[in-house]
Structure formats: C-alpha cells, structure tokens
Amino acid sequence: MNLHEYQGKEILASFGVRVQRGIVAHNAGEAVDAAKQLTAETGTGWHVIKAQVHAGGRGKGGGVKLAKNLQEVETIADSIIGMNLVTPQTSAEGKKVHQVLVAEDVYYPGDSEPAEFYMSVLLDRSKGRNMIMYSTEGGMDIEEVAEKTPHLIYHEEVDPAIGLMPFQARRVAFNLGLSGMAFKEMVKFVTALYKAYEVSDSSLFEINPVLKTSDDKIMAVDAKVTLDDNALFRHKDYAEMRDLREEDPIEVEAKEAGLNFVNLDGNVGCMVNGAGLAMATMDLIKMAGGEPANFLDVGGTADAKRVEKAFRIILKDDNVQAILVNIFGGIVRCDRVAQGIVDAYKNMGDAIKVPIIVRLQGTNAEIAKELIDNSGLAVHSAIEFQEAADKVQEVLK
Ligand code: GDP
Ligand code: MN
C-alpha cells in the first residue's frame, strides 16, 4: 500500500526523523490558513505548495511550486487542486489532485548550494536483507544516476536480526562527505529512518531529496512510503491512511470481494484457483499467443457467486477478448465449479460477449465437462492443459 507524501512524513516524524513541516489543504482557503499557521510556528515567509498524488516526478509536472506570499499561496493552491497532474510516472491522462501539502520553504535564500542527497531503505529480496541505498546525487531522477554514474550510489546492507549498527550510520554520513554538525545530524537521520522503516513494516522508504540546510540540519523534503499490505493488521492506524482514489478501481472492487486480483495489459482474462496455478496459466496464455489481462486467484471456494463476481471484474476490462478458466478441483469438486460457471453465465445474460474456455481438472472433472458441454452455452471445455491452450489460440484467431 502506497502513502501520500504528507502521510509518509507523519510516520517519519513520529520516529524522530526531521522533516520539512507542512499542513494538508483541500482548497485555496485552507491553504492560506495552513500557510499562516506555518508562518506562526516556523517563521517562514515562503511556502511550497505540493500536489498530493501517488506518483513521483511531481516537480517536473508542475505539481510543486514556490509561493512567496499569501496571495501566491492562494492562486497556486487553487490551480493545483483539481488539476490532472501528468508526471513521468503517471499515465498520459495524469492523476487528479484532491489535496496539496502546504510546506515551509526550507531552501533558505542565500543558500548558494543547498546539498540534496538521495536515500532509500528497502528490502533486498535476493540477499534476504534490508538495504540502505544513498547518493550525493539527490533531487534528481535516481534511475538516471544509476544508469550514468552508478559509482555515485552507495549501498549499506543491514542484517534485519541485528538492525543498523552505529558504525554503519557513520559510514553513510562519511560517504556523503559530511563533517561536524551535519555529520552528527546525518547519523541521527539515517538511524531514525531505518527504525521507522523497520517498525512500520514497510517495504520501501524513499527520501529524495534529503536536504542539508545552510545551517547544517538534515531533513526529509520528500517521502515515498510503501507499507507491506500483509503487515497492515498490526498497524490499524496506518491501514486507515489508504486512499482508494489513488488505486485502480477494479482492483479495489476485487479486494472487497476477497479476490486476489492484479490488473494487467493483455487480452486474455483468466480465473484460476491458487497463485501457482495462476502463474502457470499466465505462461500458458503467452504460449498460446495471447497476453494475460489479469492475475486472478479466486481462492478455495469457487461457488457460483464468487465465479460471477470474478467474471464481472474481468469483463470490466475492454481489452479482454477471451477468458480462460483454469481450476483444479482438489478440495472443491469440479462439478460444483462447473455448475457455478453455468449459473453465473445464465445470471449474467448478455454481459458475456467473449468466448470462454474452461479447463477443470481433479475430482469429478469428467462430470464437470459433461455439465458444461450439455449446458448449451458458448463455453469451450477442456481437461488437459494443452487442450486449453489450443482452444485459447483458436478463439484468438
Ligand atoms: P517530486 O518531484 O514528486 O519528487 O517532489 P519533491 O517533493 O521531491 O519536490 C520536487 C522539488 O521541489 C525538490 O527536488 C526541490 O528541488 C523542490 N522543493 C521542495 N521543497 C522545496 C522548498 O521548500 N523550497 C524550494 N525552493 N524548493 C523546494
Ligand atoms: Mn522527490
């Protein structure tokens, strides 16, 4: 689950990480009030207005702007809220902005060269360890830095059982070329950042830029946080931060129905029980010359209601030209699944306009095939894997 910048900063601050202060606003009036409050608290006269959407590169897309007085706060907030923000990380239509973060300006005037660093904490799956990735080249596209000047990116591997050792935090500060007060600040910063990552059960904390101010403070100016969905039950307060407006509506609906669903770009929808079989089925679709339109694991109970819901969700995707149902009847009997498919099909009337290939294997597979063949519906049945692949190929032609 991804968070907005302001939510990520809230979590960081709660672990003692210094962040650029800000207040969320939903309209221009609220933005002006927020700016006044920040001025009262921090003394800042200038503010940055930052679009809150789940996408990076907002600065490049015109979603981050500096306001030098309250009038500018009002007009900039008014122009950003409601806009469709297009950034290098969004689709061409962009993302609708519902709210902005009004933040204190931390790039003090007279700062000839504010130092911007890059820092992220993430899980390195290949090593089974956490990793801190950091660079002196902050504020810009880290992918570009990785491609053109990979030697400017440092890695600090952290054993999750031990945590970040003090010497490691000092090495980070040293490699970033810091000394004196800024060095100490960076040690504190990276230590608190790692703690926040660990305790919040996140899979990613990315801070770009980390700023060294002219008075040697180290602070997070941006925050991209991805929480591990499977650990959200331990963090009810974080779970409430979910912003459904930022997520794929079809995936949200599937989640509510208890289906494991990931939307993809292909033309063959698939409905499968079990994640492993779902992966194999996606391979099968590719071998048959198609591209999977989704990953869908209906789980152990493929009854008529669930099957119907799954069909409806798959059919919301206009790119779907065929649906392959591939279910192994182990605990659930194939004939019950077949009946579920027939019932769902009848229930949905004209909604199903694409060919359906059903492969049922396992307990009562033969009875299931008969049930489908005798239903009079436009459903192709198969028992063998290859048979199903051939039929997919056939209908795609
Ligand atoms: P992103 O473009 O989505 O990554 O959004 P960021 O939060 O990283 O902001 C983009 C850029 O805006 C940063 O790299 C900074 O250069 C700039 N910026 C952010 N905060 C301030 C600020 O307080 N003052 C000024 N002058 N610029 C800022
Ligand atoms: Mn950024």
Side-chain angles (χ1 to χ4, degrees):
M1 170 177 139
N2 292 328
L3 298 181
H4 285 295
E5 174 195 358
Y6 79 91
Q7 296 166 325
K9 282 177 168 173
E10 259 171 42
I11 295 179
L12 287 172
S14 73
F15 285 93
V17 179
R18 190 194 299 281
V19 299
Q20 173 192 38
R21 306 229 353 232
I23 298 170
V24 174
H26 302 89
N27 55 55
E30 280 181 27
V32 171
D33 290 342
K36 284 181 185 160
Q37 195 180 324
L38 283 172
T39 301
E41 286 172 14
T42 68
T44 183
W46 293 5
H47 300 88
V48 252
I49 315 295
K50 313 180 78 178
Q52 297 298 288
V53 291
H54 287 188
R58 295 162 302 163
K60 282 186 192 144
V64 178
K65 290 205 166 119
L66 183 67
K68 297 185 178 172
N69 54 52
L70 290 179
Q71 183 56 48
E72 285 183 11
V73 168
E74 190 174 354
T75 49
I76 292 171
D78 196 48
S79 69
I80 292 182
I81 295 170
M83 84 187 283
N84 272 323
L85 181 61
V86 181
T87 85
Q89 292 183 20
T90 66
S91 65
E93 298 99 72
K95 287 206 141 196
K96 177 124 178 148
V97 182
H98 300 282
Q99 52 198 355
V100 291
L101 181 64
V102 180
E104 59 173 331
D105 173 30
V106 285
Y107 290 60
Y108 310 133
D111 239 6
S112 51
E113 246 180 78
E116 290 181 316
F117 306 122
Y118 170 92
M119 190 173 291
S120 59
V121 191
L122 63 156
L123 177 63
D124 182 344
R125 290 174 196 275
S126 62
K127 296 210 168 100
R129 290 186 162 204
N130 291 319
M131 159 135 85
I132 299 174
M133 230 170 90
Y134 60 104
S135 175
T136 47
E137 309 306 293
M140 52 181 100
D141 215 348
I142 196 68
E143 285 78 13
E144 204 182 309
V145 180
E147 200 174 299
K148 293 189 178 145
T149 48
H151 59 284
L152 295 178
I153 298 182
Y154 298 93
H155 304 266
E156 190 67 47
E157 220 178 279
V158 185
D159 184 331
I162 297 172
L164 182 70
M165 300 289 281
F167 80 87
Q168 293 183 294
R170 289 195 295 272
R171 181 154 62 197
V172 171
F174 179 80
N175 283 339
L176 289 174
L178 301 172
S179 59
M181 158 91 168
F183 184 98
K184 284 188 192 151
E185 275 269 319
M186 182 55 84
V187 169
K188 257 173 57 186
F189 183 92
V190 63
T191 305
L193 177 65
Y194 184 82
K195 191 92 200 150
Y197 164 86
E198 186 179 41
V199 178
S200 63
D201 289 315
S202 295
S203 48
L204 172 73
F205 259 84
E206 183 180 56
I207 318 294
N208 188 22
V210 173
L211 179 73
K212 179 178 88 70
T213 61
S214 48
D215 55 354
D216 280 348
K217 287 194 183 105
I218 302 293
M219 68 164 76
V221 168
D222 193 5
K224 178 182 158 84
V225 173
T226 306
L227 300 173
D228 181 350
D229 285 12
N230 294 318
L232 279 179
F233 73 97
R234 305 208 289 197
H235 305 281
K236 298 273 186 293
D237 45 339
Y238 297 163
E240 281 168 21
M241 292 178 169
R242 172 159 250 138
D243 187 346
L244 294 177
R245 295 172 300 191
E246 297 289 328
E247 298 182 13
D248 183 333
I250 302 181
E251 287 185 6
V252 171
E253 192 182 334
K255 198 176 183 100
E256 276 164 8
L259 301 166
N260 267 319
F261 177 87
V262 181
N263 212 355
L264 303 169
D265 297 328
N267 56 352
V268 181
C270 47
M271 188 193 308
V272 188
N273 67 338
L277 186 57
M279 299 303 281
T281 304
M282 287 160 69
D283 286 347
L284 178 81
I285 290 171
K286 280 208 157 205
M287 273 153 43
E291 283 289 331
N294 66 275
F295 167 99
L296 171 57
D297 171 11
V298 286
T301 52
D303 55 30
K305 255 181 99 178
R306 261 179 107 70
V307 169
E308 182 174 336
K309 186 78 197 173
F311 271 134
R312 287 192 189 278
I313 284 171
I314 292 173
L315 288 167
K316 288 201 171 171
D317 182 346
D318 294 334
N319 298 326
V320 169
Q321 293 168 356
I323 299 177
L324 172 60
V325 180
N326 190 8
I327 290 189
F328 175 72
I331 296 168
V332 58
R333 281 168 20 211
C334 290
D335 54 323
R336 284 201 50 193
V337 178
Q339 192 61 51
I341 292 168
V342 171
D343 291 351
Y345 203 108
K346 284 186 175 152
N347 254 337
M348 293 178 67
D350 299 337
I352 302 180
K353 294 201 173 63
V354 297
I356 295 181
I357 300 104
V358 178
R359 182 226 176 202
L360 291 164
Q361 184 56 281
T363 313
N364 291 355
E366 302 290 340
I367 304 174
K369 183 169 163 39
E370 242 168 72
L371 236 162
I372 287 179
D373 290 344
N374 296 336
S375 67
L377 300 173
V379 179
H380 309 262
S381 65
I383 290 183
E384 296 305 325
F385 217 64
Q386 189 55 48
E387 227 182 319
D390 293 344
K391 290 210 163 129
V392 169
Q393 200 154 26
E394 211 178 289
V395 301
L396 284 182
K397 276 186 195 151

